[in-house]
Amino acid sequence: YYFYIKNKMKLYSKILLISIVSSLLVFTIINRIDNKFNSKLTSELVDNEFSSISIPANFNQNKYANSSLPDLTFAASKSIDAVVHVKNTSIVKDSDSWALQFFYGDDSRKKVGTGSGVIISPDGYITTNYHVIENSTEVIVTTNDNREYEAEIIGFDEVTDIAVLKIDTDSDLDYIFFGDSDSTLIGEWVLAVGNPYNLNSTVTAGIISSKSRDLNEFDQKNQSFIQTDAAVNFGNSGGALVNIQGELIGINTLIQSMTGGYVGYSFAVPSNTVRKIFEDILEYGDVQKGLLGVRGVALRSSYSKQLNLEETEGFYIDVIEPGFGADISGLQKGDIIKSIDDVKINRFSDLSGYLSSKRPGDKVKVKYIRDEELITASVTLKKSSN
């Protein structure tokens, strides 16, 4: 009997073990089938939902799958060949001693400065900073493939620090398309591309830190820069500031630094201003400035208290110039301009920066406050008689 019970127990144990193994196998097979079904269903849903989304041909999915940073390689490839080195040779008339001229001749009186420039048309028009080519007797442009050309100065605007050059070539050149600097956003990724010291095109990355930046509101200069933290150093002046689509949104102009080196504050002239200056110089021979015909001050808390105003943002009109567009459209002293063409006006640089992209004869929509009422007027800009 003892052996009978023992054999029975062994039989039951084998049956139980077989049952457990069979159950595990069935569960595993069902689970695999379910996963495949769900995977297929999910794939079909994703394909149906996002079938209209186009993915760039050069997009490397594995490379950027785990990264939250944008792919800047496309913007770099679109811009590096369109940024050039600019060498300015000028003659120094007063600073050389007779001894230097006696031993070294006229070469002692030559002064060489360098910077960068941006090709903006396939036939060789280039924009750079005015201070890069100031007082030049000869301007030499070197492209990214190390070809040298003598450049002609077509025109310039000292106020905005922009100059236009022209080189002649036998073939079309790589160039950068203008982007809309008004549509750029604070926090947007940008590239600063320069050609300093003949190192060929150099690219640095950053974000837009601020817009309509005036470095000194008391110097009577209508500055309205794009501020970026992309590294810009000496030799990068006149280079390109581009967005991630490779469009030109600014010309890198200066840095603000206690040491003379890059510390995170770089400034660029907005592309809408640059484009307008370029077109004006080609069409009219000089820069056409469209004026609203007002003078005043940008409001802040201290000014608002002095003027007994509730508003702390906007442009307070103190003087209306007779015969200009603001006068003809009915604006008055004491009005507060809040926006122009739906561009918000908080500072004088907002106002001057937007109007710098306009010409005499252009109409703008001005929204202003008078007696706590928001009023809209259409104002035609006029050319200064001075």
Side-chain angles (χ1 to χ4, degrees):
Y1 180 77
Y2 169 79
F3 289 106
Y4 173 79
I5 296 298
K6 187 175 182 181
N7 289 334
K8 275 285 190 185
M9 291 296 292
K10 287 181 179 181
L11 179 61
Y12 290 151
S13 298
K14 289 180 180 180
I15 294 171
L16 180 61
L17 180 60
I18 291 171
S19 299
I20 293 173
V21 172
S22 299
S23 299
L24 289 173
L25 287 172
V26 171
F27 177 78
T28 302
I29 292 170
I30 292 174
N31 189 49
R32 287 184 178 179
I33 293 172
D34 185 59
N35 286 340
K36 287 183 178 180
F37 176 78
N38 287 336
S39 177
K40 182 179 180 181
L41 179 61
T42 303
S43 177
E44 289 176 353
L45 287 173
V46 171
D47 289 343
N48 291 334
E49 183 71 20
F50 299 102
S51 59
S52 62
I53 296 179
S54 59
I55 299 176
N58 63 346
F59 181 74
N60 188 332
Q61 187 172 5
N62 293 329
K63 184 176 179 181
Y64 299 102
N66 298 320
S67 174
S68 60
L69 298 176
D71 179 9
L72 303 175
T73 57
F74 176 78
S77 67
K78 292 287 288 184
S79 54
I80 55 175
D81 289 328
V83 175
V84 300
H85 178 76
V86 179
K87 183 174 71 173
N88 161 21
T89 301
S90 58
I91 301 297
V92 180
K93 296 181 179 180
D94 302 322
S95 61
D96 290 330
S97 68
W98 66 269
L100 287 174
Q101 293 192 39
F102 178 79
F103 285 108
Y104 298 103
D106 287 340
D107 287 344
S108 68
R109 302 172 60 238
K110 290 184 178 179
K111 179 182 177 183
V112 177
T114 62
S116 301
V118 182
I119 303 173
I120 54 175
S121 70
D123 57 344
Y125 282 101
I126 296 169
T127 61
T128 185
N129 287 137
Y130 169 70
H131 74 260
V132 170
I133 55 92
E134 187 176 4
N135 299 323
S136 63
T137 56
E138 182 185 54
V139 177
I140 300 297
V141 166
T142 305
T143 57
N144 199 39
D145 58 357
N146 297 319
R147 298 179 186 272
E148 286 191 356
Y149 302 90
E150 185 171 352
E152 176 188 359
I153 299 175
I154 303 300
F156 55 81
D157 181 39
E158 294 182 51
V159 175
T160 55
D161 198 14
I162 293 296
V164 177
L165 311 177
K166 178 70 167 64
I167 60 175
D168 293 322
T169 66
D170 296 330
S171 58
D172 288 348
L173 297 169
D174 289 310
Y175 66 101
I176 302 180
F177 288 96
F178 279 105
D180 182 8
S181 55
D182 287 339
S183 66
T184 57
L185 301 173
I186 295 174
E188 178 180 341
W189 280 94
V190 290
L191 293 181
V193 188
N195 200 316
Y197 313 115
N198 271 336
L199 292 175
N200 293 53
S201 290
T202 301
V203 178
T204 56
I207 62 170
I208 293 177
S209 305
S210 181
K211 296 176 64 176
S212 302
R213 181 68 81 192
D214 189 347
L215 302 185
N216 184 355
E217 62 182 55
F218 302 107
D219 62 0
Q220 302 300 312
K221 292 182 179 180
N222 298 337
Q223 295 177 333
S224 185
F225 293 117
I226 295 174
Q227 180 183 333
T228 173
D229 66 351
V232 174
N233 285 295
F234 292 113
N236 287 100
S237 290
L241 187 70
V242 301
N243 57 23
I244 61 174
Q245 286 80 36
E247 299 170 331
L248 184 69
I249 59 169
I251 295 295
N252 298 316
T253 298
L254 54 87
I255 59 175
Q256 192 173 51
S257 169
M258 298 294 291
T259 63
Y262 168 76
V263 293
Y265 300 100
S266 305
F267 301 91
V269 179
S271 62
N272 286 3
T273 300
V274 177
R275 182 173 188 170
K276 188 254 183 184
I277 291 171
F278 168 65
E279 293 173 348
D280 281 356
I281 289 174
L282 260 61
E283 185 173 352
Y284 303 104
D286 61 2
V287 179
Q288 305 289 297
K289 300 183 185 297
L291 302 180
L292 197 64
V294 298
R295 285 185 286 163
V297 63
L299 290 178
R300 59 177 64 177
S301 180
S302 56
Y303 295 157
S304 297
K305 288 180 180 178
Q306 294 176 18
L307 297 168
N308 196 28
L309 298 172
E310 294 292 331
E311 295 287 333
T312 57
E313 291 182 331
F315 184 81
Y316 178 84
I317 298 176
D318 187 52
V319 175
I320 294 286
E321 299 287 353
F324 279 80
D327 178 35
I328 295 171
S329 297
L331 275 75
Q332 301 176 6
K333 175 181 178 179
D335 292 342
I336 302 170
I337 298 176
K338 300 295 289 183
S339 70
I340 297 182
D341 290 341
D342 296 324
V343 175
K344 191 175 181 181
I345 305 299
N346 288 335
R347 298 165 289 192
F348 177 67
S349 55
D350 293 328
L351 178 66
S352 62
Y354 182 74
L355 292 179
S356 67
S357 64
K358 300 297 179 181
R359 294 187 179 88
D362 287 348
K363 291 186 178 182
V364 294
K365 181 177 66 175
V366 179
K367 290 184 178 180
Y368 60 95
I369 289 180
R370 178 188 298 169
D371 298 329
E372 300 183 354
E373 180 184 356
L374 185 64
I375 304 171
T376 301
S378 177
V379 179
T380 301
L381 304 180
K382 185 177 179 180
K383 186 176 182 179
S384 172
S385 58
N386 184 357

